[in-house]
Amino acid sequence: MVIVYYVNIFIFCGVCEGSSEGGSSGNVRVARGFDVNRMVAAEEATSSFCMDLAKYRGGNKRSLEDGRNDGVEGERGSNSRASDDDENGLARKKLRLSKEQSAFLEESFKEHNTLNPKQKHGLAKQLNLRPRQVEVWFQNRRARTKLKQTEVDCEYLKKCCETLTEENRKLHKELQELRALKSSTPFYMQSPATTLTMCPSCERVATATPPSTTAAKTAGTTSTSTPSPFPLSRSKFFPFSHTPTKAS
DNA sequence: CCCAATAACGACGTTACATCA
DNA sequence: AATGATGTAACGTCGTTATTG
């Protein structure tokens, strides 16, 4: 029942497309204001039939999607399409991709997150979408991936920051204890000044001592027990790569 | 080889709409 | 039923790259 209605709409669209504009180049505005909206408005559940239907429609495959801009070399023209809609007074409407369509696109995104024209057209044909829709979907999908990665990175940096803050707090405390110890011990028992080093960050005398000395060990500040953040390489704190390589 | 014009494409930001709580 | 939040399809713009004359 539903399917029949859907098919009828498709046929109607095809006729409309062919008669009104009479060509593949000029029919964009008619078709775009049309396709999904009518379908969705007519009955929203039909979109999930899109793909399955395409299998069965056989010879009458040329939907309103096909033959708009695809198949033509310069199918870029997203801007002109938009303006065409506007000129026509038809506000853009949103298609909700069916689960099957989304899953299919998702699968192919896993394989390659960019598309060459052939892949784009192939996908569009398989999913009964316009190549432009496939292109847009991949653009948005890449954006989502990046956003998610950014969130993950942000979370990781936050954790790093917390760790460093805690480390810093411990070191300060340690320094205070050492200072207290130093002032409380007699002068002749104090370590030689050469065993004290300067912290490059806070520019204070820290407790870092040469490995051979025992001063740090007595204070419990071996480099293995409480590693200082200073000598850590950047790669340890930023193991992820932020530089997306542009696929050529 | 160099250069300007052009097309194609991706990233990014934004808008508009659908859906859900 | 109304509404704000959220997700996402679609769009506009800009920068980059390849091609062509």
Side-chain angles (χ1 to χ4, degrees):
Chain A
M1 186 62 157
V2 165
I3 298 177
V4 170
Y5 186 30
Y6 183 70
V7 171
N8 284 341
I9 290 171
F10 252 94
I11 292 169
F12 172 67
C13 292
V15 169
C16 188
E17 175 189 356
S19 62
S20 61
E21 296 287 330
S24 63
S25 60
N27 55 14
V28 174
R29 64 188 69 164
V30 175
R32 260 209 79 226
F34 216 85
D35 61 32
V36 184
N37 316 329
R38 293 270 170 107
M39 278 152 45
V40 171
E43 66 98 349
E44 42 128 22
T46 51
S47 71
S48 61
F49 287 91
C50 258
M51 214 167 42
D52 294 333
L53 213 61
K55 290 183 204 158
Y56 301 116
R57 265 187 293 151
N60 196 15
K61 214 162 194 171
R62 182 185 163 81
S63 69
L64 60 158
E65 263 87 21
D66 300 333
R68 286 179 197 167
N69 285 359
D70 41 324
V72 187
E73 310 275 307
E75 69 137 87
R76 172 106 176 120
S78 58
N79 298 348
S80 63
R81 251 169 270 169
S83 56
D84 282 350
D85 273 357
D86 290 344
E87 282 171 17
N88 210 25
L90 294 171
R92 66 174 172 191
K93 286 278 182 179
K94 267 182 65 173
L95 153 75
R96 205 77 187 177
L97 296 179
S98 69
K99 280 181 181 174
E100 290 86 353
Q101 286 171 320
S102 293
F104 202 95
L105 288 166
E106 200 67 49
E107 280 306 306
S108 64
F109 184 82
K110 279 180 191 168
E111 288 177 25
H112 32 70
N113 64 354
T114 56
L115 291 173
N116 61 36
K118 198 175 177 182
Q119 291 169 328
K120 192 202 304 179
H121 282 87
L123 267 178
K125 203 164 188 176
Q126 274 184 285
L127 297 174
N128 199 26
L129 295 169
R130 279 170 284 135
R132 171 63 181 163
Q133 286 178 292
V134 175
E135 180 183 321
V136 165
W137 188 91
F138 267 74
Q139 281 174 3
N140 288 323
R141 185 63 180 79
R142 284 192 294 270
R144 281 197 292 273
T145 301
K146 189 173 183 182
L147 183 67
K148 207 140 209 168
Q149 184 59 46
T150 303
E151 285 172 4
V152 169
D153 291 354
C154 192
E155 206 55 38
Y156 182 78
L157 284 174
K158 248 162 87 178
K159 283 212 163 65
C160 282
C161 183
E162 284 168 12
T163 305
L164 287 173
T165 303
E166 177 63 16
E167 182 75 14
N168 193 32
R169 194 191 62 77
K170 280 180 185 169
L171 287 171
H172 269 106
K173 192 181 170 191
E174 207 170 281
L175 183 59
Q176 275 186 337
E177 288 171 2
L178 282 170
R179 281 184 173 148
L181 190 69
K182 185 183 174 189
S183 62
S184 66
T185 54
F187 179 74
Y188 60 86
M189 287 183 68
Q190 288 177 13
S191 306
T194 53
T195 61
L196 297 175
T197 58
M198 186 76 80
C199 167
S201 171
C202 58
E203 295 185 350
R204 290 182 183 171
V205 175
T207 62
T209 59
S212 59
T213 62
T214 57
K217 285 176 190 167
T218 55
T221 58
T222 58
S223 59
T224 52
S225 61
T226 53
S228 166
F230 308 124
L232 291 180
S233 64
R234 187 184 181 276
S235 64
K236 176 153 187 180
F237 279 95
F238 306 98
F240 41 77
S241 136
H242 264 295
T243 53
T245 53
K246 186 163 186 170
S248 56

